[in-house]
Coordinates of all heavy atoms in Angstrom, one line a residue:
M1 N -8.8 -8.3 22.5 CA -7.8 -9.1 21.8 C -7.9 -8.9 20.3 O -9.0 -9.0 19.8 CB -8.0 -10.6 22.1 CG -7.0 -11.5 21.5 SD -7.3 -13.2 22.2 CE -7.1 -14.1 20.7
P2 N -6.9 -8.5 19.6 CA -7.0 -8.3 18.2 C -7.2 -9.6 17.4 O -6.8 -10.7 17.9 CB -5.6 -7.7 17.8 CG -4.7 -8.1 18.9 CD -5.5 -8.3 20.1
P3 N -7.7 -9.6 16.2 CA -7.9 -10.8 15.5 C -6.5 -11.5 15.1 O -5.6 -10.8 14.9 CB -8.6 -10.4 14.2 CG -8.8 -8.9 14.3 CD -8.2 -8.4 15.5
L4 N -6.5 -12.8 15.1 CA -5.3 -13.5 14.8 C -5.6 -14.5 13.7 O -6.7 -14.8 13.4 CB -4.9 -14.3 16.1 CG -4.6 -13.6 17.4 CD1 -4.4 -14.5 18.5 CD2 -3.4 -12.7 17.2
S5 N -4.5 -14.9 13.0 CA -4.6 -15.9 12.0 C -3.5 -17.0 12.2 O -2.4 -16.7 12.7 CB -4.4 -15.3 10.6 OG -5.4 -14.4 10.3
E6 N -3.8 -18.2 11.9 CA -2.9 -19.3 11.9 C -3.0 -20.0 10.6 O -4.0 -20.3 10.1 CB -3.1 -20.2 13.1 CG -2.1 -21.3 13.3 CD -2.3 -22.1 14.5 OE1 -3.0 -21.6 15.4 OE2 -1.7 -23.1 14.6
A7 N -1.8 -20.3 10.0 CA -1.8 -21.0 8.7 C -1.2 -22.4 8.8 O -0.3 -22.6 9.6 CB -0.9 -20.2 7.7
F8 N -1.8 -23.3 8.0 CA -1.3 -24.7 8.0 C -0.9 -24.9 6.5 O -1.7 -24.9 5.6 CB -2.4 -25.6 8.4 CG -2.8 -25.5 9.8 CD1 -3.8 -24.6 10.1 CD2 -2.2 -26.2 10.8 CE1 -4.2 -24.4 11.4 CE2 -2.6 -26.0 12.1 CZ -3.6 -25.1 12.4
V9 N 0.4 -25.1 6.3 CA 1.0 -25.2 5.0 C 1.5 -26.6 4.8 O 2.5 -27.1 5.4 CB 2.2 -24.2 4.8 CG1 2.7 -24.3 3.4 CG2 1.7 -22.8 5.2
P10 N 0.9 -27.4 3.8 CA 1.4 -28.7 3.5 C 2.7 -28.5 2.6 O 2.8 -27.6 1.8 CB 0.3 -29.3 2.7 CG -0.5 -28.2 2.2 CD -0.3 -27.1 3.2
T11 N 3.6 -29.4 2.8 CA 4.8 -29.4 1.9 C 4.7 -30.3 0.7 O 5.4 -30.0 -0.3 CB 6.1 -29.8 2.7 OG1 5.8 -31.1 3.3 CG2 6.3 -28.8 3.9
H12 N 3.8 -31.3 0.7 CA 3.6 -32.1 -0.4 C 2.1 -32.3 -0.6 O 1.3 -32.1 0.3 CB 4.2 -33.5 -0.2 CG 5.7 -33.5 0.0 ND1 6.6 -33.2 -0.9 CD2 6.4 -33.7 1.2 CE1 7.8 -33.2 -0.5 NE2 7.7 -33.5 0.8
W13 N 1.7 -32.7 -1.8 CA 0.3 -32.9 -2.1 C -0.3 -34.0 -1.2 O -1.5 -34.0 -0.9 CB 0.1 -33.2 -3.6 CG 0.2 -32.0 -4.5 CD1 1.3 -31.7 -5.2 CD2 -0.7 -31.0 -4.6 NE1 1.1 -30.5 -5.9 CE2 -0.1 -30.0 -5.5 CE3 -2.0 -30.7 -4.1 CZ2 -0.8 -28.9 -5.9 CZ3 -2.6 -29.5 -4.5 CH2 -2.0 -28.6 -5.4
D14 N 0.5 -34.9 -0.7 CA 0.0 -36.0 0.1 C -0.4 -35.5 1.5 O -1.2 -36.1 2.2 CB 1.1 -37.1 0.3 CG 1.5 -37.7 -1.0 OD1 0.7 -37.6 -2.0 OD2 2.5 -38.3 -1.1
E15 N 0.1 -34.3 1.9 CA -0.2 -33.8 3.2 C -1.4 -32.9 3.3 O -1.8 -32.4 4.3 CB 1.0 -33.0 3.8 CG 2.2 -33.9 3.9 CD 3.4 -33.1 4.4 OE1 3.3 -31.8 4.4 OE2 4.4 -33.7 4.7
C16 N -2.1 -32.6 2.2 CA -3.1 -31.6 2.1 C -4.3 -32.0 3.0 O -4.8 -31.2 3.8 CB -3.6 -31.4 0.7 SG -2.5 -30.6 -0.4
E17 N -4.8 -33.2 3.0 CA -5.9 -33.7 3.8 C -5.5 -33.6 5.3 O -6.4 -33.2 6.1 CB -6.3 -35.1 3.4 CG -7.0 -35.2 2.1 CD -7.3 -36.6 1.7 OE1 -7.3 -37.5 2.6 OE2 -7.7 -36.8 0.5
T18 N -4.3 -33.9 5.6 CA -3.9 -33.9 7.0 C -3.9 -32.4 7.5 O -4.3 -32.1 8.6 CB -2.5 -34.5 7.2 OG1 -2.5 -35.8 6.6 CG2 -2.0 -34.5 8.6
M19 N -3.4 -31.5 6.7 CA -3.3 -30.1 7.1 C -4.7 -29.5 7.2 O -5.0 -28.7 8.1 CB -2.5 -29.3 6.1 CG -1.0 -29.6 6.2 SD -0.3 -29.1 7.8 CE 1.0 -30.2 8.0
M20 N -5.6 -29.9 6.3 CA -7.0 -29.4 6.4 C -7.6 -29.9 7.6 O -8.3 -29.1 8.3 CB -7.8 -29.9 5.1 CG -9.1 -29.2 5.1 SD -10.2 -29.8 3.7 CE -9.2 -30.2 2.4
A21 N -7.4 -31.1 8.0 CA -8.0 -31.7 9.2 C -7.4 -31.0 10.5 O -8.2 -30.7 11.4 CB -7.7 -33.2 9.3
Q22 N -6.1 -30.7 10.5 CA -5.5 -29.9 11.6 C -6.1 -28.5 11.7 O -6.3 -28.0 12.8 CB -4.0 -29.9 11.4 CG -3.3 -31.1 11.7 CD -1.8 -31.0 11.5 OE1 -1.3 -29.9 11.2 NE2 -1.1 -32.1 11.7
C23 N -6.3 -27.9 10.6 CA -6.9 -26.6 10.5 C -8.3 -26.6 11.2 O -8.6 -25.7 12.0 CB -7.0 -26.1 9.1 SG -7.7 -24.4 8.9
H24 N -9.2 -27.5 10.8 CA -10.5 -27.6 11.3 C -10.5 -28.0 12.8 O -11.4 -27.6 13.5 CB -11.4 -28.6 10.5 CG -11.7 -28.0 9.1 ND1 -12.5 -27.0 8.9 CD2 -11.2 -28.4 7.9 CE1 -12.6 -26.7 7.6 NE2 -11.8 -27.5 7.0
Q25 N -9.6 -28.8 13.2 CA -9.4 -29.2 14.6 C -9.1 -28.0 15.4 O -9.6 -27.8 16.5 CB -8.4 -30.3 14.7 CG -8.2 -30.8 16.1 CD -7.2 -31.9 16.2 OE1 -6.4 -32.1 15.3 NE2 -7.1 -32.5 17.4
K26 N -8.1 -27.2 15.0 CA -7.7 -26.0 15.7 C -8.9 -25.0 15.8 O -9.1 -24.4 16.8 CB -6.5 -25.3 15.0 CG -6.0 -24.2 15.7 CD -5.3 -24.6 17.0 CE -4.6 -23.4 17.5 NZ -3.7 -23.8 18.7
A27 N -9.7 -24.9 14.7 CA -10.8 -24.0 14.7 C -11.9 -24.5 15.7 O -12.5 -23.7 16.5 CB -11.4 -23.9 13.3
A28 N -12.1 -25.8 15.8 CA -13.0 -26.4 16.8 C -12.5 -26.1 18.2 O -13.4 -25.8 19.1 CB -13.2 -27.9 16.5
Q29 N -11.2 -26.3 18.5 CA -10.7 -26.0 19.8 C -10.9 -24.6 20.2 O -11.3 -24.3 21.4 CB -9.2 -26.3 19.9 CG -8.9 -27.8 19.8 CD -7.4 -28.0 19.7 OE1 -6.6 -27.1 19.6 NE2 -7.0 -29.3 19.7
L30 N -10.6 -23.6 19.3 CA -10.8 -22.2 19.7 C -12.2 -21.8 19.8 O -12.6 -21.0 20.6 CB -10.0 -21.4 18.6 CG -8.5 -21.6 18.6 CD1 -7.9 -20.9 17.4 CD2 -7.9 -21.1 19.9
S31 N -13.1 -22.4 19.0 CA -14.5 -22.1 19.1 C -15.1 -22.6 20.4 O -16.0 -22.0 21.0 CB -15.3 -22.8 17.9 OG -14.9 -22.2 16.7
A32 N -14.6 -23.7 20.9 CA -15.0 -24.2 22.2 C -14.6 -23.2 23.3 O -15.2 -23.2 24.4 CB -14.4 -25.6 22.5
Q33 N -13.6 -22.4 23.1 CA -13.1 -21.4 24.1 C -13.9 -20.1 24.0 O -13.7 -19.2 24.7 CB -11.7 -21.1 23.9 CG -10.8 -22.3 24.2 CD -9.3 -22.0 23.9 OE1 -8.9 -20.8 23.7 NE2 -8.5 -23.0 24.0
G34 N -14.9 -20.1 23.1 CA -15.7 -18.9 22.9 C -15.2 -17.9 21.9 O -15.7 -16.8 21.8
L35 N -14.3 -18.3 21.1 CA -13.7 -17.4 20.0 C -14.5 -17.6 18.7 O -15.0 -18.7 18.5 CB -12.2 -17.6 19.9 CG -11.4 -17.3 21.1 CD1 -10.0 -17.8 20.8 CD2 -11.4 -15.9 21.5
V36 N -14.5 -16.6 17.9 CA -15.1 -16.7 16.6 C -14.1 -17.1 15.6 O -13.1 -16.4 15.4 CB -15.8 -15.4 16.2 CG1 -16.4 -15.5 14.8 CG2 -16.8 -15.0 17.2
C37 N -14.3 -18.3 14.9 CA -13.3 -18.8 14.0 C -13.9 -19.0 12.6 O -15.0 -19.4 12.4 CB -12.7 -20.1 14.4 SG -11.9 -20.1 16.0
T38 N -13.0 -18.7 11.6 CA -13.4 -19.0 10.2 C -12.2 -19.7 9.5 O -11.1 -19.3 9.8 CB -13.8 -17.7 9.4 OG1 -12.7 -16.8 9.5 CG2 -15.0 -17.0 9.9
C39 N -12.5 -20.7 8.8 CA -11.5 -21.4 8.0 C -11.6 -21.0 6.6 O -12.7 -20.9 6.0 CB -11.7 -22.9 8.1 SG -11.5 -23.5 9.8
S40 N -10.4 -20.8 5.9 CA -10.4 -20.5 4.5 C -9.2 -21.2 3.9 O -8.2 -21.5 4.5 CB -10.3 -19.0 4.3 OG -9.2 -18.4 4.9
T41 N -9.3 -21.3 2.6 CA -8.2 -21.9 1.8 C -7.7 -20.9 0.8 O -8.4 -20.4 0.0 CB -8.7 -23.2 1.0 OG1 -9.3 -24.1 2.0 CG2 -7.6 -23.9 0.3
L42 N -6.4 -20.7 0.9 CA -5.7 -19.8 0.0 C -4.8 -20.7 -0.9 O -4.4 -21.8 -0.5 CB -4.9 -18.7 0.7 CG -5.7 -17.9 1.7 CD1 -4.7 -17.0 2.5 CD2 -6.8 -17.1 1.0
Y43 N -4.3 -20.1 -2.0 CA -3.4 -20.9 -2.9 C -2.2 -20.1 -3.2 O -2.3 -18.9 -3.5 CB -4.1 -21.3 -4.2 CG -5.3 -22.2 -3.9 CD1 -6.6 -21.8 -3.7 CD2 -5.1 -23.6 -3.8 CE1 -7.6 -22.6 -3.5 CE2 -6.1 -24.5 -3.6 CZ -7.4 -24.0 -3.4 OH -8.4 -24.9 -3.2
R44 N -1.0 -20.7 -3.1 CA 0.2 -20.0 -3.4 C 0.3 -19.8 -4.9 O -0.1 -20.7 -5.7 CB 1.4 -20.8 -3.0 CG 1.6 -20.8 -1.5 CD 2.9 -21.4 -1.1 NE 3.1 -22.8 -1.6 CZ 3.8 -23.7 -1.0 NH1 4.4 -23.4 0.1 NH2 3.9 -24.9 -1.5
I45 N 0.7 -18.6 -5.3 CA 0.8 -18.3 -6.7 C 1.9 -19.0 -7.4 O 1.9 -19.3 -8.6 CB 0.9 -16.8 -6.9 CG1 0.5 -16.4 -8.4 CG2 2.2 -16.2 -6.5 CD1 0.3 -15.0 -8.6
T46 N 3.0 -19.4 -6.7 CA 4.1 -20.0 -7.3 C 3.9 -21.4 -7.8 O 4.4 -21.8 -8.9 CB 5.3 -19.9 -6.3 OG1 4.9 -20.6 -5.1 CG2 5.8 -18.5 -6.0
D47 N 3.2 -22.2 -7.0 CA 3.0 -23.6 -7.3 C 1.6 -24.1 -7.2 O 1.3 -25.3 -7.4 CB 4.0 -24.5 -6.5 CG 3.8 -24.3 -5.0 OD1 3.0 -23.6 -4.6 OD2 4.6 -25.0 -4.3
G48 N 0.7 -23.3 -6.7 CA -0.7 -23.7 -6.6 C -1.0 -24.5 -5.4 O -2.1 -25.0 -5.2
M49 N 0.0 -24.7 -4.5 CA -0.3 -25.4 -3.2 C -1.3 -24.7 -2.3 O -1.2 -23.5 -2.2 CB 1.0 -25.7 -2.5 CG 2.0 -26.7 -3.2 SD 1.4 -28.4 -3.1 CE 1.6 -28.7 -1.3
P50 N -2.2 -25.4 -1.7 CA -3.1 -24.8 -0.8 C -2.5 -24.4 0.5 O -1.5 -25.0 1.0 CB -4.2 -25.8 -0.6 CG -3.5 -27.1 -0.8 CD -2.4 -26.9 -1.8
I51 N -3.0 -23.4 1.1 CA -2.6 -22.9 2.5 C -4.0 -22.8 3.2 O -4.9 -22.1 2.8 CB -1.9 -21.6 2.5 CG1 -0.6 -21.7 1.7 CG2 -1.6 -21.1 3.9 CD1 0.1 -20.4 1.4
Y52 N -4.1 -23.5 4.3 CA -5.3 -23.6 5.1 C -5.1 -22.6 6.3 O -4.2 -22.7 7.0 CB -5.6 -25.0 5.6 CG -5.7 -26.0 4.5 CD1 -4.6 -26.8 4.2 CD2 -6.8 -26.0 3.6 CE1 -4.7 -27.7 3.1 CE2 -6.8 -26.9 2.6 CZ -5.8 -27.7 2.3 OH -5.8 -28.6 1.3
V53 N -6.0 -21.6 6.4 CA -5.9 -20.5 7.3 C -7.1 -20.5 8.3 O -8.2 -20.7 7.9 CB -5.8 -19.2 6.6 CG1 -5.7 -18.0 7.6 CG2 -4.7 -19.2 5.6
V54 N -6.8 -20.4 9.6 CA -7.8 -20.2 10.6 C -7.7 -18.7 11.0 O -6.7 -18.3 11.5 CB -7.6 -21.1 11.8 CG1 -8.7 -20.8 12.9 CG2 -7.6 -22.5 11.4
D55 N -8.8 -18.0 10.9 CA -8.9 -16.6 11.3 C -9.7 -16.6 12.6 O -10.8 -17.1 12.7 CB -9.6 -15.7 10.3 CG -8.8 -15.5 9.1 OD1 -7.5 -15.3 9.2 OD2 -9.3 -15.6 8.0
V56 N -9.1 -16.0 13.7 CA -9.7 -16.0 15.0 C -9.9 -14.6 15.5 O -9.1 -13.7 15.3 CB -8.7 -16.7 16.0 CG1 -9.3 -16.8 17.4 CG2 -8.3 -18.1 15.5
A57 N -11.1 -14.4 16.1 CA -11.5 -13.1 16.6 C -12.3 -13.3 17.9 O -13.0 -14.3 18.0 CB -12.2 -12.2 15.6
T58 N -12.3 -12.3 18.8 CA -13.1 -12.4 20.0 C -14.5 -12.0 19.6 O -14.7 -11.1 18.8 CB -12.6 -11.6 21.1 OG1 -12.5 -10.2 20.6 CG2 -11.2 -12.0 21.6
P59 N -15.5 -12.6 20.2 CA -16.9 -12.1 19.9 C -17.0 -10.7 20.5 O -16.6 -10.4 21.6 CB -17.8 -13.1 20.7 CG -16.9 -13.8 21.7 CD -15.5 -13.7 21.1
E60 N -17.7 -9.8 19.8 CA -17.9 -8.5 20.2 C -19.3 -8.2 20.7 O -20.2 -8.7 20.2 CB -17.6 -7.5 19.0 CG -16.2 -7.6 18.5 CD -15.9 -6.8 17.3 OE1 -16.8 -6.0 16.9 OE2 -14.8 -6.8 16.8
S61 N -19.3 -7.5 21.8 CA -20.7 -7.2 22.3 C -21.3 -6.0 21.5 O -20.7 -5.4 20.7 CB -20.5 -6.7 23.8 OG -19.8 -5.5 23.8
D62 N -22.6 -5.8 21.7 CA -23.3 -4.8 21.0 C -22.7 -3.4 21.3 O -22.7 -2.6 20.4 CB -24.8 -4.8 21.3 CG -25.5 -6.0 20.8 OD1 -24.9 -6.6 19.8 OD2 -26.6 -6.4 21.3
S63 N -22.3 -3.2 22.5 CA -21.8 -1.8 22.8 C -20.5 -1.6 22.1 O -20.2 -0.5 21.7 CB -21.6 -1.7 24.3 OG -20.6 -2.6 24.8
D64 N -19.6 -2.6 21.9 CA -18.4 -2.5 21.1 C -18.7 -2.2 19.7 O -18.0 -1.4 19.1 CB -17.6 -3.8 21.2 CG -17.0 -4.0 22.6 OD1 -16.9 -3.0 23.4 OD2 -16.6 -5.1 22.9
L65 N -19.7 -2.8 19.1 CA -20.1 -2.6 17.7 C -20.6 -1.2 17.5 O -20.3 -0.5 16.6 CB -21.1 -3.6 17.3 CG -20.6 -5.0 17.1 CD1 -21.8 -6.0 16.8 CD2 -19.5 -5.1 16.1
R66 N -21.4 -0.7 18.5 CA -21.9 0.7 18.4 C -20.8 1.7 18.5 O -20.8 2.7 17.9 CB -23.0 0.9 19.5 CG -24.3 0.5 19.0 CD -25.4 1.0 20.0 NE -26.0 -0.2 20.5 CZ -26.0 -0.7 21.8 NH1 -25.4 0.0 22.7 NH2 -26.6 -1.8 22.1
R67 N -19.8 1.4 19.4 CA -18.7 2.3 19.6 C -17.8 2.4 18.3 O -17.3 3.4 18.0 CB -17.9 1.9 20.8 CG -16.9 2.9 21.2 CD -16.2 2.6 22.5 NE -16.5 1.3 23.1 CZ -15.7 0.4 23.4 NH1 -14.4 0.5 23.1 NH2 -16.1 -0.8 23.9
M68 N -17.7 1.3 17.6 CA -16.8 1.2 16.4 C -17.5 1.8 15.2 O -16.8 2.3 14.3 CB -16.3 -0.2 16.2 CG -15.4 -0.7 17.2 SD -15.0 -2.5 16.9 CE -14.3 -2.4 15.3
R69 N -18.8 1.8 15.2 CA -19.5 2.3 14.0 C -19.4 3.8 13.9 O -19.6 4.5 14.9 CB -21.0 1.9 14.1 CG -21.8 2.2 12.8 CD -23.2 1.8 13.0 NE -23.3 0.3 13.3 CZ -24.2 -0.2 14.0 NH1 -25.1 0.5 14.6 NH2 -24.2 -1.5 14.3
P70 N -19.0 4.4 12.8 CA -18.9 5.8 12.7 C -20.3 6.4 12.8 O -21.3 5.8 12.4 CB -18.3 6.1 11.3 CG -18.6 4.8 10.6 CD -18.7 3.7 11.5
P71 N -20.4 7.6 13.4 CA -21.7 8.2 13.5 C -22.3 8.6 12.2 O -21.6 8.9 11.2 CB -21.5 9.5 14.4 CG -20.0 9.8 14.2 CD -19.4 8.4 13.9
R72 N -23.6 8.5 12.1 CA -24.3 8.8 10.8 C -24.2 10.3 10.5 O -24.4 11.1 11.4 CB -25.7 8.4 10.9 CG -26.3 8.2 9.5 CD -27.7 7.8 9.5 NE -28.3 7.1 10.6 CZ -29.6 7.0 10.8 NH1 -30.5 7.5 9.9 NH2 -30.1 6.4 11.8
Q73 N -23.8 10.7 9.4 CA -23.7 12.1 9.0 C -25.1 12.6 8.7 O -25.8 12.1 7.8 CB -22.7 12.3 7.8 CG -21.3 11.9 8.2 CD -20.4 12.2 7.0 OE1 -20.8 12.5 5.9 NE2 -19.1 12.1 7.3
E74 N -25.4 13.7 9.4 CA -26.7 14.3 9.1 C -26.6 15.2 7.9 O -25.5 15.8 7.6 CB -27.1 15.1 10.3 CG -27.2 14.3 11.6 CD -28.6 13.9 12.0 OE1 -29.5 14.6 11.5 OE2 -28.7 13.0 12.8
R75 N -27.6 15.3 7.2 CA -27.6 16.2 6.0 C -27.8 17.6 6.5 O -28.6 18.0 7.3 CB -28.8 15.8 5.2 CG -28.6 16.0 3.7 CD -29.7 15.5 2.9 NE -29.8 16.4 1.7 CZ -30.8 16.4 0.9 NH1 -31.8 15.7 1.1 NH2 -30.7 17.2 -0.1
Q76 N -26.8 18.5 6.0 CA -26.8 19.9 6.4 C -27.9 20.6 5.5 O -28.0 20.4 4.3 CB -25.5 20.5 6.1 CG -24.4 19.8 6.9 CD -24.6 20.1 8.4 OE1 -25.1 21.2 8.8 NE2 -24.2 19.2 9.3
P77 N -28.7 21.5 6.2 CA -29.6 22.3 5.4 C -28.9 23.2 4.4 O -27.8 23.7 4.8 CB -30.4 23.0 6.4 CG -29.6 23.0 7.6 CD -28.7 21.8 7.6
R78 N -29.4 23.5 3.3 CA -28.8 24.4 2.3 C -28.8 25.8 2.8 O -29.8 26.2 3.4 CB -29.5 24.3 1.0 CG -29.2 23.0 0.3 CD -29.7 23.1 -1.1 NE -28.8 24.0 -1.8 CZ -28.8 24.2 -3.1 NH1 -29.7 23.6 -3.8 NH2 -28.0 25.0 -3.7
S79 N -27.8 26.4 2.7 CA -27.7 27.8 3.1 C -28.5 28.7 2.1 O -28.4 28.5 0.9 CB -26.3 28.3 3.2 OG -26.2 29.6 3.4
R80 N -29.2 29.6 2.7 CA -30.0 30.6 1.8 C -29.1 31.7 1.3 O -29.5 32.5 0.5 CB -31.1 31.2 2.7 CG -32.1 30.2 3.2 CD -32.9 29.6 2.1 NE -33.8 28.6 2.7 CZ -34.4 27.7 2.0 NH1 -34.2 27.6 0.7 NH2 -35.2 26.8 2.6
D81 N -27.9 31.7 1.8 CA -26.9 32.7 1.3 C -26.2 32.4 0.0 O -25.4 33.2 -0.4 CB -25.9 33.0 2.4 CG -26.6 33.5 3.7 OD1 -27.7 34.1 3.6 OD2 -26.0 33.2 4.8
L82 N -26.5 31.3 -0.6 CA -25.8 30.9 -1.8 C -26.3 31.8 -2.9 O -27.5 32.1 -3.0 CB -26.1 29.4 -2.2 CG -25.5 28.4 -1.2 CD1 -26.0 27.0 -1.6 CD2 -24.0 28.5 -1.2
P83 N -25.4 32.2 -3.8 CA -25.8 33.1 -4.9 C -26.8 32.4 -5.8 O -26.6 31.2 -6.2 CB -24.5 33.5 -5.6 CG -23.6 32.4 -5.2 CD -24.0 31.9 -3.8
V84 N -27.8 33.1 -6.3 CA -28.7 32.5 -7.2 C -28.2 32.8 -8.6 O -27.6 33.8 -8.9 CB -30.1 33.2 -7.1 CG1 -31.1 32.7 -8.1 CG2 -30.6 33.0 -5.7
R85 N -28.3 31.8 -9.5 CA -27.8 31.9 -10.9 C -28.6 33.0 -11.6 O -29.9 33.1 -11.5 CB -28.0 30.6 -11.6 CG -27.0 30.4 -12.7 CD -26.9 29.0 -13.1 NE -28.1 28.5 -13.6 CZ -28.2 27.3 -14.1 NH1 -27.2 26.5 -14.3 NH2 -29.4 26.8 -14.5
Q86 N -27.9 33.9 -12.2 CA -28.6 35.0 -12.9 C -29.1 34.5 -14.3 O -28.5 33.8 -15.0 CB -27.5 36.1 -13.2 CG -26.9 36.7 -12.0 CD -28.0 37.5 -11.1 OE1 -28.9 38.1 -11.7 NE2 -27.8 37.4 -9.8
R87 N -30.3 35.0 -14.5 CA -31.0 34.6 -15.8 C -31.2 35.8 -16.6 O -31.3 36.9 -16.2 CB -32.4 34.0 -15.5 CG -32.3 32.7 -14.8 CD -33.7 32.1 -14.7 NE -33.6 30.9 -14.0 CZ -34.7 30.3 -13.5 NH1 -35.9 30.8 -13.6 NH2 -34.6 29.1 -12.8
N88 N -31.3 35.6 -17.9 CA -31.5 36.7 -18.8 C -33.0 37.0 -18.7 O -33.9 36.2 -18.7 CB -31.2 36.2 -20.3 CG -31.4 37.3 -21.3 OD1 -31.8 38.4 -20.9 ND2 -31.1 37.0 -22.5
A89 N -33.3 38.3 -18.5 CA -34.7 38.7 -18.3 C -35.6 38.3 -19.4 O -36.8 38.0 -19.2 CB -34.7 40.2 -18.1
G90 N -35.1 38.3 -20.7 CA -35.9 38.0 -21.8 C -36.3 36.5 -21.8 O -37.2 36.1 -22.5
S91 N -35.5 35.6 -21.2 CA -35.8 34.2 -21.2 C -36.9 33.8 -20.3 O -37.4 32.7 -20.4 CB -34.6 33.4 -20.9 OG -34.2 33.6 -19.6
L92 N -37.3 34.6 -19.4 CA -38.4 34.3 -18.4 C -39.8 34.3 -19.1 O -40.6 33.5 -18.7 CB -38.4 35.2 -17.2 CG -37.1 35.1 -16.4 CD1 -37.2 36.2 -15.3 CD2 -37.0 33.8 -15.8
D93 N -40.0 35.2 -20.0 CA -41.3 35.3 -20.6 C -41.3 34.7 -22.1 O -42.2 35.0 -22.8 CB -41.9 36.7 -20.6 CG -41.0 37.7 -21.3 OD1 -39.9 37.2 -21.8 OD2 -41.3 38.8 -21.4
N94 N -40.3 34.0 -22.4 CA -40.1 33.4 -23.7 C -40.0 34.4 -24.9 O -40.4 34.1 -26.0 CB -41.2 32.4 -24.0 CG -41.1 31.2 -23.1 OD1 -40.0 30.8 -22.7 ND2 -42.3 30.6 -22.8
S95 N -39.6 35.6 -24.5 CA -39.4 36.6 -25.6 C -37.9 36.8 -25.7 O -37.3 37.2 -24.7 CB -40.2 37.9 -25.3 OG -39.7 38.4 -24.1
F96 N -37.4 36.6 -26.8 CA -35.9 36.7 -27.0 C -35.7 38.0 -27.9 O -36.4 38.2 -28.9 CB -35.3 35.5 -27.7 CG -35.4 34.3 -26.8 CD1 -36.4 33.3 -27.1 CD2 -34.6 34.1 -25.8 CE1 -36.6 32.2 -26.3 CE2 -34.7 33.0 -25.0 CZ -35.7 32.0 -25.2
S97 N -34.7 38.7 -27.6 CA -34.3 39.8 -28.4 C -33.0 39.5 -29.2 O -32.1 38.9 -28.6 CB -34.1 41.1 -27.5 OG -33.1 40.8 -26.6
R98 N -33.0 40.0 -30.4 CA -31.8 39.8 -31.2 C -30.8 40.9 -30.9 O -31.2 42.0 -30.8 CB -32.2 39.7 -32.7 CG -33.0 38.5 -33.0 CD -33.2 38.4 -34.4 NE -34.0 37.3 -34.7 CZ -34.1 36.7 -35.9 NH1 -33.5 37.3 -36.9 NH2 -34.8 35.7 -36.1
R99 N -29.6 40.6 -31.0 CA -28.6 41.7 -30.8 C -27.9 42.1 -32.0 O -27.8 41.5 -33.0 CB -27.5 41.2 -29.8 CG -28.1 41.0 -28.4 CD -27.0 40.6 -27.5 NE -27.6 40.3 -26.2 CZ -27.0 40.1 -25.2 NH1 -25.7 40.1 -25.2 NH2 -27.5 39.8 -24.0

């Protein structure tokens, strides 16, 4: 089951506590059914009114988590065929020649 969300939107400031209580009540009902619930409060940008949201997801088993996790990328050994940077022969023994 994919994750779901349910929003509780009060229409007036007087309804905020009622909507928050409904949100937490819904989360408790769904948690009793074995679902994983989180409650969050969002705010509308237009008027600052709160929106109470319940996010619902099914609990995942360890095998599901392992299957969803991308495999770890192993470090590739450096190839010995890469070209070596050429050095000036005079710079190896600290003797420089003027041109």
